[in-house]
Amino acid sequence: MLQSGHTPNTFTFPFTLKSCALLSLPITGSQLHSHVIQTGCQHDPYVHSSLISMYSKCSLIYNARQVFDESSESVKRLGVCYNALLAGYVLNSLQFDALLLFRQMCVNGVTYTDVTMLGLIPACTFPQHVLFGFSLHGCIVKCGLDQEPNVGNCLLTMYVRYGSIDLARKLFNSMPRKELISWNAMISGYAQNGFASNVLDLYKEMVSSGIDPDPVTLVSVLSSCSHLGAHSIGCDIERRIACAGFGLNTYLRNALINMYARCGNLNRARKLFDEMHDKNIISWTAIIVGYGMHGHGEIAVQLFDQMLLDGIRPDGAAFVSVLSACSHAGLSDKGQEYFVGMERNYGINPGLEHYACIVDLLGRAGRLEEARELIASMPVEPDGAVWGALLGACKIHKNVELAELAFEHVVQLEPTNVGYYVLLSNIYSEAENLEGIARVRVMMRARKLRKEPGCSYVEHKGKVHLFVVGDRTHHQATEIYRMLDRLEDLIGVNSSNKNKSEDLIATDGYRKKEINSEDVEILTGTGVHSEKLAIAFALLNTEVGKEIVVMKNLRVCGDCHLFIKLVSKIVNRDFIIRDPSRFHHFKDGVCSCNDYW
């Protein structure tokens, strides 16, 4: 244009400056700035705002501020320069400067618009800016800008990032027109804050409203299916993905692999993985985690080695997955080999999560002293997860002295984590140390701590049923407890002959099974934990022979673990129980973990 003798004007510069910003060409942008001055276009508000945006996007925010300060008052009063600089401050993580500029804008009587708010709201998405966010929302309502869909969506995202889910939902419900982005923001908010049931409910409401979900929606829904073990809903999502033509979307494929693995359907997860042509590190990590959680450590190791052969460079998360798999499978030597190779072969410095895995691995293998020495030699200060792994290993191997040492450290780091108190109390209980149990209870009372209630999920006919400890709120509660009584009678818990080994004759189609009196004694006095209720419900409502899958939020206790083993033997059913760390596959009185969990 210049070579042909044409002079750029106020219509030319905004486009060329925008291109410089997109391509991150600050030197070229500065040269254009000179042309702007030479042609006398610097007083045009849109050219001026384009200069501010260009410098901001090229990380030259102080140059942007200088251009703004040089603006004439008449240009500033139009608001476009304020809007450009506000967005620039937010883009460069100068949130406080953005808020000060907005205040200056209000003091100077400059009218703000939805564009202003869309640039400013992201400055208030951090929890420390929550009061500014509330104030800004008030300004938006006062000016009637809350009816703008884009502004409403931006506010919704702000409340989600605060973790203020109730306020986000209230805002969502009040929106006059909900677009796909609105539904996605609310669904993602629920998913990120652990409200998996709400995600599924809102997803159903979204579909019934005639809104077609996109991949962003479906990733969040699949994540919630994974959390709840909602296998049939996940299957429906897979069919929808295929019908919508999203089948080749790598993010959705990875989410499906993760969902199936965490819902107990490892075969389907593996089939999807094998069918992928563009596997990335997330794909490999998802399937390795799946095999590790199901106790197939050897296969997880094979997959990790195959990933290396395929030229995929492992990251920290991949090493966590394979170390965890080695830990659950008792592959201590292989796990140590990977741990050493992280830094030596790939330049990855082990993080706290890797140290927690290797401490857990050594501890489970009974190498408690090695685990303690490793913690002492760590180049970084160990966190609660590291000491907690050692504490858990002490429970497995009944080492009270080392458990007290681990607890002393972990309680300093995480004084409100109830799980550690319960773990130490259980260690004392197994050692018949009543004084120790009393001390732990006194500490918990002094700190006003209460044990997190155990809850279990089981899916039936597309609906997730939730049970908590001692739950009697379910509409089938009477039948559930009656079923539990029958099961306990069958395994001899309430039998007057529980001290003898005997054959128990199964009724109503149950097979004849033999139960050891030692097992019966251990079961005596166990409470009605949530997984028992979930199993009884599933036995009542599923056909004979069907595999039963239960998800639990807490570690399966030893009593319930034994109970499920015995029930699987009596009723000739396979049970899959997922707790926070792994899957337990119960079949004919045996668990896949070999009582090593």
Side-chain angles (χ1 to χ4, degrees):
M1 180 180 182
L2 294 175
Q3 290 176 349
S4 63
H6 292 87
T7 302
N9 56 27
T10 55
F11 293 99
T12 312
F13 286 116
F15 293 104
T16 53
L17 288 168
K18 184 177 181 180
S19 298
C20 289
L22 291 172
L23 297 171
S24 295
L25 299 173
I27 296 176
T28 305
S30 298
Q31 292 171 342
L32 281 171
H33 191 176
S34 299
H35 281 284
V36 167
I37 296 172
Q38 290 171 7
T39 55
C41 296
Q42 69 270 29
H43 300 298
D44 182 86
Y46 296 102
V47 173
H48 222 76
S49 63
S50 297
L51 281 168
I52 294 171
S53 295
M54 182 273 296
Y55 281 123
S56 298
K57 291 176 181 178
C58 291
S59 301
L60 298 173
I61 190 64
Y62 297 107
N63 297 59
R65 180 67 199 224
Q66 185 177 355
V67 172
F68 174 83
D69 290 338
E70 291 172 355
S71 305
S72 64
E73 287 302 318
S74 60
V75 169
K76 286 182 181 178
R77 291 194 67 82
L78 293 175
V80 289
C81 292
Y82 275 102
N83 292 345
L85 188 57
L86 279 171
Y89 276 139
V90 174
L91 181 65
N92 287 272
S93 301
L94 297 170
Q95 287 83 6
F96 191 68
D97 294 86
L99 295 169
L100 287 177
L101 183 65
F102 177 67
R103 182 181 179 185
Q104 179 186 336
M105 185 179 184
C106 295
V107 169
N108 292 339
V110 179
T111 303
Y112 49 85
T113 64
D114 58 334
V115 176
T116 313
M117 294 305 170
L118 290 174
L120 188 58
I121 292 172
C124 303
T125 54
F126 297 93
Q128 61 266 36
H129 298 148
V130 61
L131 294 179
F132 290 116
F134 290 150
S135 300
L136 195 60
H137 192 176
C139 292
I140 289 169
V141 172
K142 185 177 179 180
C143 296
L145 295 174
D146 56 321
Q147 301 301 307
E148 292 289 334
N150 289 337
V151 174
N153 293 332
C154 211
L155 282 171
L156 188 59
T157 302
M158 178 187 77
Y159 283 120
V160 164
R161 291 186 179 176
Y162 289 160
S164 303
I165 295 300
D166 290 339
L167 290 174
R169 184 57 192 261
K170 186 177 180 181
L171 175 63
F172 176 80
N173 290 340
S174 68
M175 294 175 72
R177 189 171 78 253
K178 300 180 182 70
E179 301 174 337
L180 176 61
I181 190 172
S182 314
W183 291 94
N184 282 350
M186 194 67 243
I187 287 173
S188 297
Y190 275 136
Q192 291 164 16
N193 287 275
F195 296 98
S197 296
N198 299 75
V199 169
L200 300 188
D201 291 340
L202 191 59
Y203 168 71
K204 291 175 183 176
E205 184 182 335
M206 173 185 176
V207 173
S208 64
S209 299
I211 305 294
D212 291 326
D214 66 357
V216 175
T217 321
L218 298 175
V219 165
S220 293
V221 176
L222 286 170
S223 172
S224 298
C225 290
S226 303
H227 180 76
L228 294 174
H231 182 265
S232 64
I233 298 175
C235 291
D236 290 339
I237 298 294
E238 185 183 5
R239 286 190 286 271
R240 178 178 284 274
I241 288 170
C243 293
F246 299 147
L248 297 179
N249 185 297
T250 303
Y251 294 103
L252 283 174
R253 280 269 176 168
N254 292 339
L256 281 169
I257 291 169
N258 181 63
M259 183 275 296
Y260 278 120
R262 290 180 177 273
C263 287
N265 192 345
L266 195 54
N267 290 334
R268 181 59 184 158
R270 181 58 186 266
K271 189 173 188 297
L272 285 169
F273 175 79
D274 289 339
E275 290 172 352
M276 287 185 72
H277 299 294
D278 53 347
K279 301 180 184 73
N280 58 21
I281 185 64
I282 298 173
S283 316
W284 286 96
T285 301
I287 196 67
I288 291 169
V289 167
Y291 275 104
M293 287 189 70
H294 284 266
H296 302 299
E298 294 83 358
I299 300 177
V301 165
Q302 291 171 12
L303 283 166
F304 187 83
D305 291 342
Q306 184 61 50
M307 179 184 76
L308 301 181
L309 291 174
D310 287 357
I312 303 293
R313 185 177 180 83
D315 59 7
F319 274 108
V320 168
S321 68
V322 75
L323 288 173
S324 178
C326 290
S327 177
H328 287 303
L331 304 174
S332 55
D333 292 337
K334 192 67 177 176
Q336 283 186 292
E337 179 185 324
Y338 286 131
F339 183 75
V340 172
M342 281 180 61
E343 187 171 8
R344 184 177 61 197
N345 300 331
Y346 300 99
I348 300 174
N349 293 322
L352 289 169
E353 64 276 17
H354 302 105
Y355 278 105
C357 284
I358 203 70
V359 168
D360 184 61
L361 181 146
L362 292 171
R364 286 174 182 268
R367 298 157 66 175
L368 296 176
E369 191 57 33
E370 285 184 61
R372 189 193 64 78
E373 290 173 358
L374 176 66
I375 294 174
S377 66
M378 284 175 58
V380 293
E381 194 68 26
D383 65 356
V386 174
W387 285 109
L390 182 61
L391 182 61
C394 290
K395 182 182 186 302
I396 295 173
H397 299 287
K398 299 178 173 55
N399 189 321
V400 177
E401 183 179 350
L402 190 55
E404 290 175 333
L405 173 66
F407 179 78
E408 182 181 335
H409 284 88
V410 77
V411 80
Q412 291 177 359
L413 296 165
E414 299 182 24
T416 60
N417 190 324
V418 181
Y420 296 131
Y421 295 86
V422 174
L423 195 53
L424 182 63
S425 179
N426 290 340
I427 292 171
Y428 282 139
S429 178
E430 290 181 5
E432 299 182 356
N433 186 337
L434 299 180
E435 184 180 339
I437 296 172
R439 283 200 307 271
V440 173
R441 288 179 178 173
V442 168
M443 290 175 66
M444 291 181 67
R445 278 198 294 268
R447 293 172 179 174
K448 298 180 180 179
L449 301 177
R450 297 185 64 183
K451 181 181 177 182
E452 180 185 1
C455 63
S456 296
Y457 306 89
V458 63
E459 186 187 31
H460 179 58
K461 293 184 177 179
K463 181 180 179 181
V464 176
H465 295 260
L466 170 66
F467 298 91
V468 297
V469 178
D471 196 350
R472 290 186 178 272
T473 60
H474 196 275
H475 68 277
Q476 286 185 281
T478 301
E479 294 90 338
I480 288 170
Y481 277 90
R482 190 177 294 134
M483 171 61 80
L484 276 177
D485 287 341
R486 288 172 61 196
L487 292 173
E488 291 181 346
D489 284 342
L490 286 169
I491 60 177
V493 172
N494 297 319
S495 170
S496 60
N497 297 319
K498 63 186 177 183
N499 292 320
K500 301 177 182 179
S501 294
E502 61 181 6
D503 288 345
L504 297 173
I505 308 301
T507 58
D508 297 331
Y510 293 142
R511 296 191 303 163
K512 178 181 178 181
K513 295 292 174 181
E514 182 175 315
I515 307 298
N516 292 327
S517 60
E518 181 184 358
D519 291 343
V520 172
E521 285 293 339
I522 295 173
L523 283 170
T524 304
T526 57
V528 187
H529 285 186
S530 59
E531 58 266 54
K532 288 185 177 182
L533 297 171
I535 285 171
F537 167 81
L539 287 172
L540 282 168
N541 292 280
T542 58
E543 59 268 22
V544 174
K546 184 177 180 181
E547 182 180 77
I548 292 172
V549 181
V550 176
M551 308 291 161
K552 192 180 181 199
N553 68 328
L554 301 178
R555 180 181 181 273
V556 178
C557 71
D559 290 336
C560 288
H561 191 268
L562 177 57
F563 175 85
I564 301 167
K565 283 201 301 183
L566 298 177
V567 170
S568 72
K569 191 174 184 179
I570 291 170
V571 303
N572 194 26
R573 288 281 197 109
D574 292 356
F575 297 99
I576 297 178
I577 312 296
R578 188 190 81 187
D579 67 15
S581 61
R582 67 167 298 150
F583 278 86
H584 299 263
H585 293 253
F586 297 90
K587 182 180 178 66
D588 200 29
V590 178
C591 180
S592 60
C593 73
N594 294 317
D595 301 333
Y596 183 82
W597 85 102

